[in-house]
Amino acid sequence: MNKQVQLIDLGTKDYKETWDFQEGLFKSIVDIKSANRDNDTPKPTPNYLLFVEHPHVYTLGKSGDMSNLLLNEKQLEEKNATFYKINRGGDITYHGPGQIVGYPILDLDNFFTDIHKYLRLLEETIIKVLADYGIESGRSEGETGVWLDVGTPFARKICAMGVRASRWVTMHGFALNVNADLGYFDNIIPCGIRGKGVTSMHAELNRKVDELEVEKKIIKYFSELFEAEVVV
């Protein structure tokens, strides 16, 4: 089993370009796994963790409802935003500047073959990061992601998650609102969930947060929870 994870920081990159890049890495891992079935000396499969910041974009998961996007094509242009239907789970979400997006492309055969556990460990990674900043967060039953004030009228999501897995290889991932412009969430029903808000680390702490510092903490807790070695 290969528990080494290669970190790739894409900086600011268009959503579609990043999606294509993910698909390429995903396919390369699946191809190795397919070849290994007929190979007496199987080749180890690589793992990746991508960090990226996208220009303004809305994405709708395969089970999502188009009515949760509250903008038409012209209004999207006015907001300087794009829209894509994609092949992850979940409904609609927003990505943009000030948000850390993480795409783990892992062969779970290198770790554990349990998608439920995979999602819970991603959530736990973010929960631990937020705790370092004095932000108490947790899970909302039946709603993937990381939330604040769960079970109260003030429940709000700070990190959205949506993944795809095939042959135990993952793609897509999480989006943590660090210094994101929350006004862009007003143009959708986030994750298709009505009556619950969205927040950011900036909004909770009332100050701009160092995104590079947050990325380092994500790497730290991801490494610990997945018992992985993240390498550049």
Side-chain angles (χ1 to χ4, degrees):
M1 290 196 299
N2 175 27
K3 291 204 168 190
Q4 192 173 84
V5 179
Q6 183 180 343
L7 177 69
I8 303 176
D9 192 336
L10 296 173
T12 300
K13 197 171 184 68
D14 173 78
Y15 185 85
K16 182 63 168 63
E17 289 179 22
T18 308
W19 187 10
D20 290 344
F21 184 65
Q22 278 194 82
E23 289 278 11
L25 295 177
F26 177 89
K27 183 178 184 302
S28 69
I29 297 173
V30 170
D31 287 350
I32 292 170
K33 296 187 77 168
S34 295
N36 282 345
R37 286 183 298 186
D38 303 316
N39 196 329
D40 292 335
T41 55
K43 182 180 176 183
T45 49
N47 309 286
Y48 304 93
L49 173 60
L50 312 183
F51 278 142
V52 65
E53 183 177 85
H54 294 304
H56 302 296
V57 61
Y58 296 101
T59 68
L60 184 72
K62 57 189 176 183
S63 59
D65 186 339
M66 270 297 296
S67 66
N68 291 325
L69 174 64
L70 308 179
L71 299 174
N72 59 33
E73 194 170 328
K74 184 173 183 296
Q75 290 169 320
L76 279 169
E77 288 179 11
E78 290 170 353
K79 294 281 184 185
N80 199 27
T82 52
F83 170 76
Y84 294 100
K85 289 183 178 179
I86 63 173
N87 60 352
R88 61 161 170 78
D91 205 285
I92 197 164
T93 195
Y94 159 78
H95 299 310
Q99 185 185 70
I100 293 175
V101 179
Y103 295 129
I105 304 174
L106 310 179
D107 178 4
L108 291 183
D109 272 321
N110 288 324
F111 301 91
F112 46 78
T113 49
D114 185 333
I115 294 296
H116 179 80
K117 180 178 179 179
Y118 172 66
L119 286 167
R120 301 295 80 79
L121 289 187
L122 286 185
E123 290 168 343
E124 189 64 23
T125 298
I126 302 302
I127 288 168
K128 285 180 173 289
V129 170
L130 294 172
D132 281 356
Y133 291 88
I135 300 172
E136 186 178 343
S137 62
R139 300 174 179 85
S140 181
E141 189 175 348
E143 298 169 339
T144 302
V146 179
W147 297 76
L148 276 58
D149 288 338
V150 175
T152 77
F154 309 105
R156 54 208 182 277
K157 180 178 276 192
I158 196 166
C159 183
M161 293 186 182
V163 303
R164 175 196 172 201
S166 177
R167 299 281 306 277
W168 296 114
V169 181
T170 68
M171 63 179 291
H172 300 297
F174 61 86
L176 174 62
N177 297 327
V178 183
N179 300 303
D181 180 350
L182 299 179
Y184 275 81
F185 286 96
D186 294 339
N187 305 312
I188 59 172
I189 300 169
C191 304
I193 301 168
R194 295 179 182 272
K196 290 187 178 178
V198 177
T199 191
S200 67
M201 296 178 71
H202 183 289
E204 297 300 318
L205 299 172
N206 199 29
R207 65 175 173 85
K208 188 175 172 67
V209 178
D210 184 335
E211 291 167 38
L212 185 58
E213 180 183 77
V214 176
E215 287 183 0
K216 288 177 180 176
K217 289 179 180 292
I218 291 172
I219 293 166
K220 175 179 184 287
Y221 292 119
F222 179 92
S223 300
E224 290 176 3
L225 290 165
F226 283 85
E227 298 178 355
E229 179 192 4
V230 177
V231 296
V232 178

